Amino acid sequence: MWQAISHQLSDVLGKPFKITEKEPLEGGDINECYCIGDDNDRFFLKLNDRDLLMIFETEAESLRILNEADCIQVPQFLHLGTSRDKSFLVLNYLPTKVLDNDAAYTLGQELARLHSWGEQAEYGFDLDNYIGLTPQPNKWRRRWCRFFAEQRIAWQLQICQEKGIDLGNIDTITSRVIDILMHHQPKPSLLHGDLWHGNTAVTVTGPIIFDPASYWGDRECDIAMTELFGGFPQTFYDGYQSVWPLDEGYQERKELYNLYHVLNHCNLFGGSYISQAEHSIKKLGLLK
């Protein structure tokens, strides 16, 4: 495997690259992650089973469009490949630290600029991708209420049901989500899509975001997720508000948007996330 990676990177770089350094890095629950290098260059490597190549392909597309927006620093794509039994994604390597208050403020400003970038008439993405290991459908829709209700909440509920997790009648919940968002038709914004604090850091060149699950949607979805798993420094929200203040009603929509990620954690991990989802569905009044 390592020899295959070396050979492929040599072709991409146009010069010999023989791995002499491979340092394991923390990479979450899904992939093996390494810093690899020879005597001259170092790269970030994500590694998984060969049949999960599609996850890396869709991540590379999210990184491509985020790089095109050029509003926030994201990893630079170098190579996507396979060996006999593994798939891998190679990105540039940058040492990182946890966001401090100043970097968080800058990140908030940059995220607001990302959300205002581009002109897109519909909600969705040019391809379906993944949120963690869960497929994420992104078929284009003109109405935000239908996109979010059908391709986010109903989709996750269906997966839950297939796994034996019954959280209520899917049609009833979906209809109620449509009702709640019926009159909310925000500008489609390019989203990171999985913006919890573990997918952010600061480098010597400023804040960076990574592991995206991008699509065009309501910017509030990104902001809501920042409040779900541990939260961001207050300066992040101050920075965001200084560029593009949030709309009235965000606080009411926040828990509904985060239900999507809670449901995804139900499907990935089960356990306490099931009761958390049940509580949110009841609190939001999604069942009669």
Side-chain angles (χ1 to χ4, degrees), residues 16-83:
F17 181 84
K18 182 178 181 181
I19 297 174
T20 57
E21 171 192 3
K22 48 179 184 289
E23 177 187 353
L25 303 172
E26 293 184 5
D29 302 310
I30 297 173
N31 306 298
E32 295 178 56
C33 296
Y34 295 88
C35 172
I36 60 172
D38 62 4
D39 295 332
N40 299 305
D41 301 298
R42 303 173 85 194
F43 302 106
F44 182 81
L45 173 76
K46 284 187 172 186
L47 187 67
N48 216 313
D49 295 336
R50 186 185 175 98
D51 60 2
L52 295 179
L53 176 65
M54 181 62 72
I55 294 179
F56 290 150
E57 290 175 340
T58 60
E59 180 178 344
E61 177 59 19
S62 290
L63 290 173
R64 183 198 67 76
I65 192 169
L66 289 168
N67 264 304
E68 181 183 326
D70 196 26
C71 296
I72 307 178
Q73 182 178 203
V74 296
Q76 301 296 305
F77 170 80
L78 183 70
H79 180 59
L80 180 71
T82 59
S83 63

Side-chain angles (χ1 to χ4, degrees), residues 99-110:
L99 285 176
D100 57 26
N101 285 333
D102 289 342
Y105 186 88
T106 300
L107 178 60
Q109 292 182 311
E110 293 174 344

